Amino acid sequence: MPTALNGEEWMAVLERLATALPPSGPPVTLCLIGSAACLFGGMPGRASAELPIWRPASDYDLLELRTAAEKAGLLFDPKTVLEPDTPYLQLIEPGLTQLGPFEPVLMERVGRLHLYRPPVENLVAAKLIRAEPKDLGDIRFLISRHRPDEQRVRHIVQGFERVAREKASENLAYLSLLET
């Protein structure tokens, strides 16, 4: 299992990634999902070896991003074996992961690298699909930090594909428990 990085460590890696990009060209826009909002929001003890990128809301040149990631010491979108001690960027397409429609929220600009995330309501709704202990911890942190609109979360869940909608709907009860 690759080494998990906290938010500060990931930001240092992303600064290396930004430096590895050619100095001119259009912005490299990455929409980070999963643990990113918790990592960069300062959640104590939260770490991850993966930085998932929501491909539909991102805009980049594949070759340019892959080359910069490798220069920064990252694996880029590994499909099979992970290397120990090497964090990685993972491209995520809709499928098992559901987020619902959203307008990305800017987190940070680092040179040409522009980092976005979905609104917190979309992240909470997505984490309700799996609702594993780590997901519930993330939801608790996001609720405490951002006070998401519970009705908006419910609306997003209703727009998910059937299987994801059923799983997330079953787990909506966690929302009121986690707010305390």
Side-chain angles (χ1 to χ4, degrees):
M1 184 70 157
T3 302
L5 305 177
N6 65 28
E8 286 181 17
E9 293 165 329
W10 265 114
M11 189 50 72
V13 169
L14 290 172
E15 288 170 4
R16 288 198 314 267
L17 177 67
T19 303
L21 289 167
S24 62
V28 174
T29 303
L30 302 181
C31 184
L32 306 177
I33 62 171
S35 61
C38 298
L39 288 168
F40 298 120
M43 182 177 175
R46 189 63 164 106
S48 178
E50 169 194 44
L51 208 54
I53 298 167
W54 188 243
R55 198 170 193 164
S58 298
D59 188 16
Y60 53 86
D61 177 275
L62 184 65
L63 180 59
E64 183 180 62
L65 183 58
R66 175 183 289 127
T67 301
E70 290 167 357
K71 284 182 184 175
L74 294 167
L75 292 178
F76 183 77
D77 200 28
K79 299 293 186 201
T80 54
V81 180
L82 299 177
E83 295 176 23
D85 304 324
T86 306
Y88 59 101
L89 301 178
Q90 189 73 58
L91 301 178
I92 307 293
E93 295 277 1
L96 294 177
T97 301
Q98 296 284 305
L99 284 164
F102 65 89
E103 188 66 36
V105 176
L106 180 66
M107 291 192 309
E108 197 67 63
R109 279 188 19 216
V110 187
R112 288 182 52 222
L113 185 61
H114 296 196
L115 303 172
Y116 289 81
R117 66 164 172 77
V120 170
E121 289 85 357
N122 294 76
L123 293 170
V124 168
K127 287 185 170 292
L128 286 170
I129 296 169
R130 261 193 338 200
E132 291 178 359
K134 192 176 279 193
D135 298 307
L136 296 177
D138 288 352
I139 292 170
R140 177 179 284 119
F141 175 78
L142 293 170
I143 288 172
S144 72
R145 181 60 57 98
H146 300 281
R147 297 284 175 214
D149 179 344
E150 185 177 336
Q151 287 308 111
R152 178 82 186 115
V153 172
R154 291 177 183 278
H155 179 76
I156 292 164
V157 165
Q158 290 310 308
F160 287 168
E161 292 178 359
R162 186 184 59 80
V163 173
R165 182 177 60 246
E166 289 171 0
K167 287 181 181 179
S169 294
E170 289 171 14
N171 295 323
L172 278 167
Y174 286 123
L175 280 184
S176 56
L177 294 174
L178 293 173
E179 288 179 352
T180 58

